[in-house]
Amino acid sequence: MEKVNANNKKQMKQKVTLKQIAKELDVSISTVSKALKDSVEISLDTRQKVKAFAKLYNYKPNNIALSLKNRKTKTIGVIIPEIVHHFFTTVIGGVEKVANEKGYNVIICSSNNSFDKEVINMEMLASGSADGFILSVAKETQLKKDYHHIEETMSQGMPVVLFDRIIDELVCDKVIIDDAKGAQSATNHLLSIGCKKIAILTTVDYISVGKLRTNGYLRALRAYDIPENEEYILKIEDIDNCEAEIESFLKGKDIDAVFAVNELFAVTAIRVLHEQGKRVPDDVAIIGFTDGILSKHFIPSLTTISQHGEDMGIRAAKLLIDKLEGDESVTEEYRTVIIDTSLVQRKSTKKTKD
Amino acid sequence: MEKVNANNKKQMKQKVTLKQIAKELDVSISTVSKALKDSVEISLDTRQKVKAFAKLYNYKPNNIALSLKNRKTKTIGVIIPEIVHHFFTTVIGGVEKVANEKGYNVIICSSNNSFDKEVINMEMLASGSADGFILSVAKETQLKKDYHHIEETMSQGMPVVLFDRIIDELVCDKVIIDDAKGAQSATNHLLSIGCKKIAILTTVDYISVGKLRTNGYLRALRAYDIPENEEYILKIEDIDNCEAEIESFLKGKDIDAVFAVNELFAVTAIRVLHEQGKRVPDDVAIIGFTDGILSKHFIPSLTTISQHGEDMGIRAAKLLIDKLEGDESVTEEYRTVIIDTSLVQRKSTKKTKD
DNA sequence: AAACCTTACGAAAACGTTTGCGTGTGGAAA
DNA sequence: TTTCCACACGCAAACGTTTTCGTAAGGTTT
């Protein structure tokens, strides 16, 4: 459905440049530039005239020209696997916060989990649009193990900060959570409230965070002398269609708790359990990972491991800006910041009172 | 927690420019430029040499220089009120899709619902970083009714496309849904399954979409000859703390349905109703607005009005790019695209069989 | 009157491109 | 031998800044 409006000829007030001001005031471009910067080289009289004129015509220096001249853009490129994703957007929120404070602009691109798009975005931003990168790599990139675009960018002197889905082999700043430790404490929580038969819903192994969380789960079990049981482990292949996998996995299985490595698996498990006539948390306790919208608002609300996405973004941005503005000493060392996770207790793991 | 890695001196392979290639090959800059473009002016021999060299050194033209020269950036600026928001990110997804197809870059900024930040972001992007804007205005801007930054941008010849939270007074392209109509069909659906005492959970009036949806609700009631009842209308002030408001509103109220103007209100209503001992959908039917994560995964899953965010983004991007690349005729007319909403039936309004 | 110093400004280069036009070289035609 | 024309390339301007350096005008010292 469309409506079309006729248009009254708008009078364009094209952007005014130094050159135009100079011509108008019959002085040179350099005089205008200096006057606007309050240089003592220029007489007070001229300064005032120029500034008044500039204000009147709403002069704003052209960023592109400045970028070209200064050889820096004051822009941070952020590339994430998915834009429609609560965790990543909270990270972006953190990045923006710091960036804006420090006078940086933020360009966000989504790789859509595609290796090719990640490369394209990176090259595009690297060729003049951004001074440095904050990046969480695409699934495909993790699978393919091809990091030439990232290495190339770094070798051109542009700092890169990896977060969440990082790449161990790459020598650069990183911001992560201790996924294994978070998973371990999630599992510990289930053990501590008396659960013994704990299933895990995780991802296939090439997703680094999935694998790490699985490891944490196993570690917790070992510490409790509970033998690893393949039957309690489901590695979900197709996230978009996880319900079917979870359903057949859970069918008739004798468990008293589920640890899900993300929100979606957690709530899907609850739904499936409901349909199978089990109650959460009374029959089966559920714990998730990532403290997003679903966890907060679901019924029952989800006990979960918070990754503190905003903090991650803040730390990542700080690391990057330090690199961008720092001297040699800062430029030459690489940090890995590990953000502490925390257990957020809600109703999906209500303590059983027996 | 931090780890510091010592760093083996990286050998920087600084970005190579036309000038460097020219010097290396002992030809002029223009020859290099033309050779790379396969100009017939240049001998085949030279062309091949230049291209080989450029490839070897991974030459990529500098975007900034190109932008300066061409006076366009091939970049779309998107400004949204919140980045951590499912609907807005789906819109961005749509924008990116079209933009990438057409060779445009996308810069996303969040105004955080602040008027000042909206102005700053806009001015920053307008001074050279973007060719045009896709914008959903901040709450504060709607309250303040100060649109000078948008008008100014437009008068400088940069096209602006408004979406979702638009401003009627502004003459520019717009992409919206018919909020009132969507709300009306939501209400109609409730009426059609036999509900008679329908409450609405909406926002305060200065939020344009909230007001429009309230109007739609009222229109639907009128069509059924149901008198407007103030007692059934709750205008929520503090979204972050809506639970308390909803709780006291719903307490002891005799209703058989709730229409919530967003997901959060809807699921909060369900939670409150649960606590008050009522069942959804058996005692009270619920319908929401915006088809997001919560609606899809909640138990019961939510019947809702889908706004088709991705489509909105696609249309907005197309409108903008048409303006950017179009000739006069296209530049001089403004369209308002109305995206059709649709009713997504799920379990929160299961048909009562009586 | 010559030498000097301020003051106030302009010229030009630089950032990395693209492109219209000018030009030197060589060979072919006259 | 002269004239002409392709051919292959370089020059320079332009985009909008910033900044270094040069310099004219005018006044102040000797």
Side-chain angles (χ1 to χ4, degrees):
Chain A
M1 223 186 310
E2 299 202 6
K3 270 188 303 187
V4 177
N5 279 355
N7 172 27
N8 37 355
K9 213 86 177 173
K10 62 209 156 186
Q11 70 274 31
M12 292 253 197
K13 199 173 55 168
Q14 272 294 345
K15 302 228 69 172
V16 60
T17 68
L18 290 185
K19 188 193 273 195
Q20 290 164 37
I21 301 183
K23 197 165 74 181
E24 214 65 36
L25 260 44
D26 207 36
V27 293
S28 77
I29 296 181
S30 23
T31 301
V32 177
S33 175
K34 289 171 187 167
L36 290 174
K37 300 196 129 48
D38 248 326
S39 158
V40 289
E41 270 188 279
I42 307 300
S43 72
L44 199 64
D45 192 50
T46 311
R47 268 186 268 170
Q48 289 172 339
K49 250 194 320 207
V50 169
K51 284 197 275 188
F53 195 91
K55 180 154 195 184
L56 180 63
Y57 283 84
N58 192 28
Y59 170 77
K60 293 261 165 42
N62 180 312
N63 280 336
I64 295 289
L66 284 179
S67 296
L68 185 59
K69 176 132 195 43
N70 301 331
R71 257 104 74 71
K72 58 183 173 190
T73 60
K74 281 276 194 177
T75 296
I76 295 175
V78 178
I79 302 180
I80 52 175
E82 298 171 58
I83 182 84
V84 189
H85 192 298
H86 185 266
F87 169 67
F88 288 124
T89 54
T90 58
V91 176
I92 292 173
V95 171
E96 281 224 323
K97 208 171 221 174
V98 176
N100 288 342
E101 266 173 26
K102 308 249 185 180
Y104 281 79
N105 209 343
V106 178
I107 298 189
I108 298 153
C109 290
S110 128
S111 63
N112 246 326
N113 271 318
S114 143
F115 172 76
D116 290 337
K117 231 187 132 192
E118 187 175 286
V119 173
I120 290 173
N121 279 329
M122 194 130 193
E123 289 185 345
M124 161 168 250
L125 295 184
S127 54
S129 305
D131 296 336
F133 289 90
I134 294 176
L135 169 64
S136 186
V137 301
K139 269 184 216 169
E140 267 189 34
T141 308
Q142 292 200 125
L143 238 184
K144 214 170 168 177
K145 294 181 189 298
D146 180 346
Y147 318 128
H148 77 274
H149 52 304
I150 307 177
E151 285 165 338
E152 214 153 74
T153 304
M154 291 193 299
S155 84
Q156 288 172 350
M158 317 184 65
V160 172
V161 178
L162 257 31
F163 76 93
D164 196 53
R165 299 205 199 147
I166 67 164
I167 291 163
D168 285 327
E169 297 94 299
L170 251 29
V171 181
C172 63
D173 286 331
K174 290 160 192 162
V175 180
I176 49 172
I177 56 164
D178 189 335
D179 280 288
K181 193 172 153 197
Q184 189 172 3
S185 72
T187 313
N188 275 339
H189 178 66
L190 294 173
L191 292 163
S192 75
I193 60 174
C195 302
K196 303 228 178 327
K197 290 164 286 187
I198 304 174
I200 178 172
L201 305 177
T202 184
T203 65
V204 284
D205 275 346
Y206 71 82
I207 307 281
S208 60
V209 298
K211 183 169 189 182
L212 290 169
R213 291 171 196 172
T214 309
N215 289 345
Y217 157 83
L218 294 173
R219 210 157 68 195
L221 294 185
R222 270 198 298 278
Y224 267 69
D225 282 326
I226 297 181
E228 176 176 339
N229 184 343
E230 281 292 334
E231 299 225 326
Y232 285 170
I233 300 177
L234 173 62
K235 295 186 180 172
I236 293 170
E237 309 244 359
D238 180 9
I239 292 186
D240 292 325
N241 195 24
C242 63
E243 182 149 3
E245 294 189 43
I246 294 177
E247 192 165 354
S248 72
F249 171 77
L250 249 33
K251 173 159 272 175
K253 196 150 284 180
D254 177 30
I255 54 170
D256 54 16
V258 172
F259 166 43
V261 301
N262 61 42
E263 281 193 322
L264 182 59
F265 293 173
V267 303
T268 306
I270 295 182
R271 173 190 313 281
V272 168
L273 288 167
H274 267 223
E275 281 162 10
Q276 298 180 352
K278 299 195 181 160
R279 300 300 220 49
V280 176
D282 306 308
D283 300 330
V284 179
I286 306 260
I287 193 164
F289 213 108
T290 295
D291 188 22
I293 302 281
L294 279 172
S295 303
K296 273 197 259 306
H297 299 291
F298 211 74
I299 303 179
S301 56
L302 287 181
T303 297
T304 192
I305 301 293
S306 168
Q307 306 178 76
H308 302 290
E310 188 176 16
D311 289 343
M312 291 188 76
I314 290 175
R315 294 304 302 266
K318 280 186 178 163
L319 281 176
L320 185 66
I321 293 177
D322 279 356
K323 274 274 164 12
L324 289 173
E325 302 189 340
D327 51 18
E328 287 286 300
S329 67
V330 137
T331 316
E332 304 257 320
E333 65 185 30
Y334 294 106
R335 306 186 119 79
T336 295
V337 175
I338 300 171
I339 304 283
D340 282 328
T341 58
S342 47
L343 179 75
V344 182
Q345 286 200 45
R346 296 209 184 87
K347 299 192 178 159
S348 66
T349 58
K350 217 174 183 176
K351 193 163 266 163
T352 52
K353 35 197 163 213
D354 53 339
Chain B
M1 225 188 308
E2 298 201 8
K3 272 188 300 186
V4 178
N5 280 356
N7 172 25
N8 38 356
K9 213 82 176 177
K10 63 209 156 188
Q11 70 274 31
M12 292 251 198
K13 199 174 55 170
Q14 273 294 346
K15 303 228 67 171
V16 59
T17 68
L18 289 184
K19 189 194 274 198
Q20 290 163 37
I21 300 183
K23 198 166 73 179
E24 214 64 38
L25 262 43
D26 208 36
V27 293
S28 78
I29 297 180
S30 24
T31 301
V32 178
S33 174
K34 288 170 185 167
L36 289 174
K37 299 197 128 50
D38 248 327
S39 159
V40 289
E41 270 187 279
I42 308 299
S43 72
L44 199 64
D45 191 52
T46 310
R47 267 186 269 169
Q48 288 173 339
K49 250 194 319 210
V50 169
K51 284 198 274 188
F53 195 92
K55 180 153 195 186
L56 180 64
Y57 282 84
N58 192 26
Y59 169 77
K60 294 262 163 43
N62 181 311
N63 281 334
I64 295 289
L66 285 178
S67 297
L68 185 59
K69 177 129 192 43
N70 301 332
R71 258 104 76 69
K72 59 184 172 188
T73 61
K74 280 276 193 176
T75 296
I76 295 175
V78 178
I79 302 180
I80 51 174
E82 298 171 58
I83 181 84
V84 189
H85 192 297
H86 184 267
F87 169 67
F88 288 125
T89 54
T90 58
V91 176
I92 293 174
V95 172
E96 282 224 322
K97 208 171 221 174
V98 176
N100 288 343
E101 266 172 25
K102 308 248 185 180
Y104 281 78
N105 209 344
V106 178
I107 298 189
I108 298 152
C109 288
S110 126
S111 64
N112 246 326
N113 271 317
S114 142
F115 172 78
D116 290 337
K117 233 188 128 190
E118 188 174 287
V119 173
I120 290 174
N121 279 329
M122 195 129 191
E123 289 185 344
M124 162 168 249
L125 295 185
S127 54
S129 305
D131 296 337
F133 288 90
I134 293 176
L135 169 64
S136 186
V137 301
K139 269 185 216 170
E140 267 188 36
T141 308
Q142 292 200 125
L143 239 183
K144 214 169 168 179
K145 294 181 188 299
D146 180 346
Y147 317 128
H148 77 274
H149 52 304
I150 306 177
E151 286 165 338
E152 215 154 71
T153 304
M154 291 193 299
S155 84
Q156 287 172 351
M158 316 183 65
V160 172
V161 178
L162 257 32
F163 76 93
D164 196 52
R165 300 206 199 145
I166 66 164
I167 291 162
D168 286 328
E169 298 93 300
L170 252 30
V171 181
C172 63
D173 286 331
K174 290 161 193 162
V175 180
I176 50 172
I177 56 164
D178 189 335
D179 280 287
K181 191 171 153 200
Q184 188 173 1
S185 71
T187 313
N188 275 340
H189 178 65
L190 294 173
L191 292 163
S192 76
I193 59 174
C195 302
K196 303 227 177 330
K197 291 165 284 186
I198 304 173
I200 179 172
L201 306 177
T202 184
T203 66
V204 286
D205 276 346
Y206 71 81
I207 308 281
S208 58
V209 297
K211 184 169 187 180
L212 290 169
R213 291 172 196 172
T214 309
N215 289 344
Y217 157 83
L218 294 173
R219 210 157 68 194
L221 295 185
R222 270 197 299 277
Y224 267 68
D225 282 325
I226 298 180
E228 175 176 343
N229 184 344
E230 281 291 333
E231 299 225 326
Y232 285 170
I233 300 177
L234 174 62
K235 295 186 178 172
I236 292 169
E237 311 244 355
D238 180 9
I239 291 185
D240 293 324
N241 196 23
C242 63
E243 181 149 5
E245 292 187 48
I246 294 177
E247 192 165 354
S248 73
F249 171 76
L250 250 31
K251 172 158 274 175
K253 195 150 288 179
D254 177 30
I255 54 170
D256 54 18
V258 172
F259 167 42
V261 300
N262 60 42
E263 280 193 321
L264 183 58
F265 293 174
V267 303
T268 306
I270 295 182
R271 175 190 312 282
V272 167
L273 288 167
H274 267 222
E275 280 160 10
Q276 298 179 354
K278 298 193 183 164
R279 299 302 221 46
V280 175
D282 308 306
D283 301 329
V284 180
I286 306 260
I287 194 164
F289 211 109
T290 295
D291 188 23
I293 301 281
L294 279 172
S295 303
K296 272 196 258 307
H297 298 292
F298 211 74
I299 306 180
S301 55
L302 287 181
T303 297
T304 192
I305 301 294
S306 169
Q307 307 178 74
H308 302 291
E310 188 175 17
D311 289 342
M312 290 189 76
I314 289 174
R315 294 305 300 263
K318 281 186 177 160
L319 281 176
L320 186 65
I321 293 177
D322 279 356
K323 274 272 163 16
L324 288 173
E325 301 189 340
D327 51 18
E328 286 286 300
S329 67
V330 136
T331 315
E332 304 255 321
E333 65 185 28
Y334 294 106
R335 307 185 118 81
T336 294
V337 175
I338 300 172
I339 303 283
D340 281 326
T341 57
S342 48
L343 179 75
V344 182
Q345 285 201 44
R346 296 210 185 86
K347 299 193 177 160
S348 67
T349 57
K350 217 174 182 178
K351 194 160 270 166
T352 51
K353 35 194 163 211
D354 53 340

